[in-house]
Amino acid sequence: MKRMTEAQLSELEQDFNAIRDQVVADLGERDATYIRRIVRLHRTLEVAGRITMPFGFIPPVFVGATLALGLSKIIENMEIGHNVMHGQYDWMNDSSLHSQSYEWDTVCTGESWRRTHNYEHHTYTNIIGKDRDYGYALLRLDDDEQWRPRHSLQFINYILLSVFFQWGVGLHELESERIRRGEIRVKDKLPFLKDFFRKGGRQAFKDYVFFPLVTLPVAPIVLAGNIGANLIRNLWSSTVIFCGHFTQQAETFTEAECEGESRGHWYLRQLTGSSNFTGGKWVHLLSGHLSFQVEHHLFPDLPAHRYPEISEQVQAVCQKHGLPYNTGSFARQYGSVLKRIAAFSLPDRIRTRLPALSMAHAT
Amino acid sequence: MLAREKPSKALRWLGKQLFNRENPAAFFDPLLESLNPMWVRGYTPARVEQVLKETAETKTFILKPTQRWSGFEAGQHVNICTEIDGRRHTRPFSLSSSPVLWQEQGVITLTIKRLPGGLVTNWLHDRLEVGAVLGMSDAFGDFLIPEPAAPVLFIAGGSGITPILSQLETMATQDYRAPITLLYFVRTHEDVIAGSQLNALAARYPALTLNIVATHLGASPRYLSDKDLDTVPGLKARKAFLCGPRGLMELAEHLLRGRGIRQSDIHCTFFAAPSAGLSDQAVGGQVQFTESSLEVGSQGDANLLEIAEAAGLSPRYGCRMGICHQCSCRKTSGTVINRLTGQPSGRGEEMVQLCISVPQGPVSIEA
């Protein structure tokens, strides 16, 4: 990471604070109208998907219904749930859009998400050993973690994680790697597991039992469509999230670097540990504006639809301080994620000798 | 809080299973709201039927709440929720109509005076139009007509007349069998709210003695005095009901206590403007943590999270720097300064982040 003096960091802090203050001062009806429109879009898609799914014996209807339900889940998880739970709309004082009471349409409970994502991941972003989102304690994505033989097959793990992403996210707080290492006991995690099974049970009951049962003659079609919708959401959200921190340019940090850090250093770490990808309006909406991961990590509680608007200002601050602003096309960023997963599945002595993977040097 | 429907147990279960919420109907609210806001199930909607001008500064809003609203007793209040520039604001107002009007015609009235500099009252006056829909709470408050009938003395000041209007209408309709005196203090005669309604009441309801006092006619103000109380027959046996600005209420309470009226016979209610005097820089104050029944004082710019922890509470928290919203709690009253923006909050009920909120004067927190 670029070294900056305390004075430079303090200037960086002021520059980013200025962007933040300007948006906060401008929050109002436009943001409320925006998020309510998205909520209506979600409800419309979900109702449409559920109603048309039983007619899925007509192939085009099946495709349409599955897509509608899949999109509704993506929008609810990414643009509504994730962002609302960050407190982006708390200022509206609307209890249906409040961070602490929102419960989203996925296996992971809102409570667990607020702890592991809002607090741990967003406070300790990319600090190896503290940010458990880094590789999800499943993948080796950095040479700070020692290579082990099981890492050679981590690409398979990655694919499995993507397919069952909502279950993986739901189980994240179990900290299975620490249980394996004997640092904590399963018993300590019983309250978490109870919540996990309750919420996971609900999600499975709704999509795989309730809606197929109420449409009994066509139950297999509804079941297949619901599985398809969940799969679409899982693959997409996993892909978006991996593009956010695991591109080859995204930096990692050690605990020592971040001890007692200033707000300026925190900004710097958020900036250099995140990566954006470009795309059309719909790409941004469906990614919950995590395509502006840099802006999101700098300002996690500003309404996400504001990120495209402040992107230029953020880039100007980066330029002023000679800092990288990590962005690229979706294909390029995702390609570099896949490369990173592949590269670090190899022992370092082989990895560093392969020219094709030379970009994947240790950070 | 706004009034919420309590769905049956089975519906709550289904709501949790299918929509991750207790009230399954509320899932459809965003769609229903765009079709007809009165169909909303998540809170009690009330449509503005008519707006009447009472004085230069006071308007009466005639509202039609949805039929499932639970009604009220004379003298009670409701919280009204408005959305101003994307933000929801909740404020209590007295119901000025009689419950009979709600029972017979399904409407209620709120009589609201502009507060100088007040965000919500001015918005209601300037922007609220007939046909708009507001959120409404269940009625609350114990400023109620005595049962069984007993002699009553009302002392009202300015817009403090509103809950008393509801009570007088109700008493007249019930033919409440006890002497009633109203001492109504206004600055000038132009400031009398519902003057013709009061005169009509006095005319058709002989038990009521009406005395409207203008305080600012002469060179020096003429406030409530012992002389006014001398005009009330059988004062000692009266139940007193006070509603108005803080100064009037304190004066009235003092004079009545001096006349040997018991504290338990003096009922007060007031929604006055906040007492001015706190400078922008003054921070610190008494903090009440309602769920833990704990009250502690704070000085300087200690934030609510630090204050709670110093008091031995352990509220949920995360980053302690205003990022993660783990520590957000409901503030029920009082003003806090946001440490990040330096901006003061509103006085009403809203969520605040404990770790960046510094109390300014007394604050109540649900924690």
Side-chain angles (χ1 to χ4, degrees):
Chain A
M1 184 165 65
K2 185 185 154 85
R3 298 265 159 236
M4 292 176 83
T5 63
E6 278 307 313
Q8 287 170 321
L9 283 174
S10 141
E11 195 180 332
L12 183 71
E13 176 181 338
Q14 283 168 21
D15 289 343
F16 282 134
N17 280 346
I19 298 177
R20 185 194 154 78
D21 292 347
Q22 171 204 325
V23 175
V24 169
D26 189 48
L27 291 178
E29 201 166 343
R30 184 160 71 93
D31 307 271
T33 307
Y34 173 80
I35 193 63
R36 297 227 167 92
R37 208 177 75 219
I38 299 299
V39 170
R40 280 199 300 277
L41 174 65
H42 158 245
R43 301 292 203 270
T44 309
L45 281 170
E46 174 155 5
V47 170
R50 300 273 183 210
I51 289 177
T52 50
M53 196 70 85
F55 304 96
F57 50 83
I58 308 161
V61 175
F62 180 80
V63 173
T66 306
L67 270 180
L69 193 57
L71 284 177
S72 93
K73 281 177 184 287
I74 286 172
I75 291 172
E76 197 277 343
N77 288 180
M78 308 293 282
E79 184 70 337
I80 305 172
H82 167 260
N83 291 339
V84 164
M85 284 194 286
H86 262 297
Q88 294 183 358
Y89 300 95
D90 280 6
W91 55 272
M92 286 171 63
N93 203 19
D94 177 344
S95 56
S96 70
L97 292 172
H98 193 269
S99 61
Q100 299 308 303
S101 53
Y102 195 87
E103 190 57 63
W104 56 347
D105 181 13
T106 183
V107 167
C108 182
T109 65
E111 280 298 304
S112 176
W113 179 259
R114 284 184 279 267
R115 280 190 297 264
T116 58
H117 178 84
N118 290 8
Y119 167 44
E120 289 177 11
H121 170 58
H122 273 270
T123 310
Y124 304 116
T125 314
N126 287 24
I127 300 179
I128 303 298
K130 286 209 93 167
D131 180 6
R132 294 186 53 260
D133 276 27
Y134 204 82
Y136 299 100
L138 187 70
L139 307 176
R140 175 178 180 259
L141 298 170
D142 191 275
D143 60 3
D144 283 354
E145 190 179 345
Q146 213 195 341
W147 184 85
R148 290 180 204 287
R150 66 182 168 88
H151 290 131
S152 55
L153 293 176
Q154 71 174 357
F155 215 90
I156 297 172
N157 278 345
Y158 164 65
I159 290 167
L160 285 174
L161 177 63
S162 291
V163 169
F164 298 103
F165 195 59
Q166 67 163 339
W167 297 93
V169 172
L171 277 172
H172 190 44
E173 202 182 352
L174 181 61
E175 302 187 279
S176 58
E177 77 284 3
R178 292 182 61 202
I179 295 178
R180 241 189 348 255
R181 292 199 297 262
E183 292 168 20
I184 48 172
R185 291 164 303 172
V186 180
K187 217 173 80 183
D188 304 327
K189 289 291 179 180
L190 283 182
F192 161 75
L193 279 171
K194 210 175 119 195
D195 289 347
F196 166 78
F197 283 117
R198 187 187 295 133
K199 179 80 193 290
R202 265 179 208 157
Q203 293 297 114
F205 171 79
K206 161 171 81 172
D207 283 337
Y208 308 142
V209 180
F210 180 86
F211 283 110
L213 272 186
V214 294
T215 53
L216 199 53
V218 288
I221 291 168
V222 172
L223 179 64
N226 290 356
I227 291 175
N230 276 294
L231 183 64
I232 292 171
R233 185 269 321 273
N234 285 353
L235 293 177
W236 172 250
S237 45
S238 153
T239 305
V240 166
I241 288 164
F242 269 69
C243 282
H245 295 293
F246 310 145
T247 59
Q248 295 194 336
Q249 298 80 13
E251 297 197 24
T252 59
F253 313 92
T254 63
E255 282 186 56
E257 280 177 294
C258 307
E259 209 164 296
E261 70 177 355
S262 63
R263 180 89 180 191
H265 189 267
W266 181 84
Y267 273 134
L268 176 65
R269 184 156 54 81
Q270 301 305 324
L271 177 73
T272 52
S274 310
S275 43
N276 288 2
F277 57 82
T278 55
K281 221 178 104 188
W282 275 92
V283 173
H284 297 314
L285 167 61
L286 294 181
S287 69
H289 290 88
L290 291 186
S291 45
F292 290 92
Q293 187 79 241
V294 171
E295 285 77 5
H296 174 59
H297 262 269
L298 291 171
F299 312 113
D301 61 357
L302 293 184
H305 75 110
R306 296 273 191 159
Y307 297 153
E309 299 170 16
I310 58 173
S311 166
E312 266 182 40
Q313 287 170 274
V314 170
Q315 290 179 54
V317 171
C318 290
Q319 212 158 28
K320 174 181 162 193
H321 293 268
L323 295 168
Y325 179 86
N326 183 356
T327 185
S329 71
F330 179 72
R332 200 193 94 181
Q333 299 292 60
Y334 189 51
S336 102
V337 168
L338 296 180
K339 228 182 200 178
R340 187 165 192 154
I341 298 171
F344 284 99
S345 68
L346 302 171
D348 291 337
R349 62 193 156 75
I350 300 179
R351 177 176 60 86
T352 46
R353 271 187 227 150
L354 290 178
L357 301 172
S358 62
M359 261 180 70
H361 56 78
T363 47
Chain B
M1 295 294 282
L2 293 178
R4 298 244 160 73
E5 262 188 304
K6 289 265 164 12
S8 69
K9 215 173 159 190
L11 267 179
R12 282 210 301 274
W13 179 83
L14 200 63
K16 282 272 182 200
Q17 300 302 319
L18 302 186
F19 306 115
N20 288 307
R21 65 191 72 230
E22 295 229 319
N23 184 354
F27 176 83
F28 300 97
D29 275 353
L31 296 178
L32 296 176
E33 200 169 12
S34 55
L35 296 173
N36 179 350
M38 289 300 283
W39 292 347
V40 165
R41 307 298 297 188
Y43 58 87
T44 305
R47 192 176 51 229
V48 181
E49 297 284 296
Q50 217 181 330
V51 181
L52 307 173
K53 193 167 173 172
E54 296 282 351
T55 71
E57 297 294 301
T58 310
K59 282 183 178 176
T60 290
F61 299 87
I62 302 179
L63 305 181
K64 194 179 183 76
T66 175
Q67 274 304 314
R68 65 173 185 272
W69 188 58
S70 51
F72 70 106
E73 288 182 65
Q76 285 195 308
H77 327 287
V78 285
N79 280 323
I80 292 294
C81 180
T82 58
E83 189 163 315
I84 304 174
D85 195 20
R87 288 168 176 80
R88 290 197 172 166
H89 299 271
T90 306
R91 294 284 188 275
F93 293 105
S94 305
L95 290 144
S96 55
S97 58
S98 147
V100 178
L101 191 69
W102 157 247
Q103 284 149 16
E104 288 177 356
Q105 296 178 35
V107 295
I108 59 164
T109 71
L110 302 175
T111 301
I112 298 171
K113 187 179 174 188
R114 276 181 200 272
L115 285 176
L119 177 71
V120 174
T121 54
N122 282 296
W123 186 88
L124 291 172
H125 271 251
D126 298 333
R127 305 289 298 277
L128 187 62
E129 284 170 4
V130 170
V133 172
L134 301 167
M136 211 171 86
S137 73
D138 286 334
F140 62 93
D142 48 11
F143 195 68
L144 303 175
I145 300 168
E147 293 280 350
V152 173
L153 167 64
F154 289 113
I155 300 179
S159 60
I161 191 69
T162 50
I164 294 168
L165 281 175
S166 171
Q167 292 175 322
L168 289 176
E169 279 290 349
T170 308
M171 290 164 132
T173 313
Q174 290 174 353
D175 200 13
Y176 190 83
R177 301 270 171 168
I180 303 160
T181 301
L182 168 62
L183 298 179
Y184 181 21
F185 291 84
V186 288
R187 290 177 69 84
T188 70
H189 287 291
E190 275 73 58
D191 297 316
V192 175
I193 295 170
S196 50
Q197 187 187 349
L198 285 171
N199 286 323
L201 269 170
R204 78 174 151 108
Y205 182 40
L208 172 64
T209 310
L210 180 61
N211 185 3
I212 299 180
V213 182
T215 54
H216 285 67
L217 289 185
S220 58
R222 176 228 182 281
Y223 290 125
L224 172 72
S225 68
D226 265 321
K227 266 193 212 136
D228 296 311
L229 296 183
D230 289 339
T231 66
V232 181
L235 180 68
K236 269 203 151 161
R238 301 245 177 178
K239 310 265 184 207
F241 287 80
L242 319 179
C243 188
R246 191 183 294 265
L248 173 66
M249 308 246 295
E250 281 170 2
L251 180 60
E253 204 174 333
H254 175 75
L255 293 176
L256 290 170
R257 297 279 289 152
R259 295 295 188 102
I261 294 184
R262 280 177 307 176
Q263 192 70 50
S264 59
D265 284 336
I266 303 176
H267 305 272
C268 302
T269 190
F270 59 94
F271 298 113
S275 51
L278 268 181
S279 89
D280 284 346
Q281 303 309 317
V283 285
Q286 283 297 112
V287 182
Q288 199 186 1
F289 296 101
T290 52
E291 273 172 27
S292 329
S293 324
L294 201 67
E295 192 170 331
V296 287
S298 85
Q299 285 181 336
D301 65 349
N303 64 51
L304 289 172
L305 183 59
E306 292 163 348
I307 296 168
E309 288 172 340
L313 302 180
S314 44
R316 184 171 51 180
Y317 70 89
C319 64
R320 306 186 77 99
M321 54 203 283
I323 300 160
C324 74
H325 290 254
Q326 280 284 93
C327 64
S328 287
C329 273
R330 186 162 287 278
K331 165 176 78 67
T332 47
S333 70
T335 304
V336 295
I337 307 284
N338 181 322
R339 207 179 234 179
L340 292 183
T341 63
Q343 293 299 310
S345 68
R347 287 177 294 113
E349 188 175 296
E350 64 189 329
M351 301 296 293
V352 296
Q353 290 168 269
L354 297 184
C355 68
I356 50 164
S357 296
V358 180
Q360 188 182 40
V363 172
S364 268
I365 300 287
E366 272 180 14

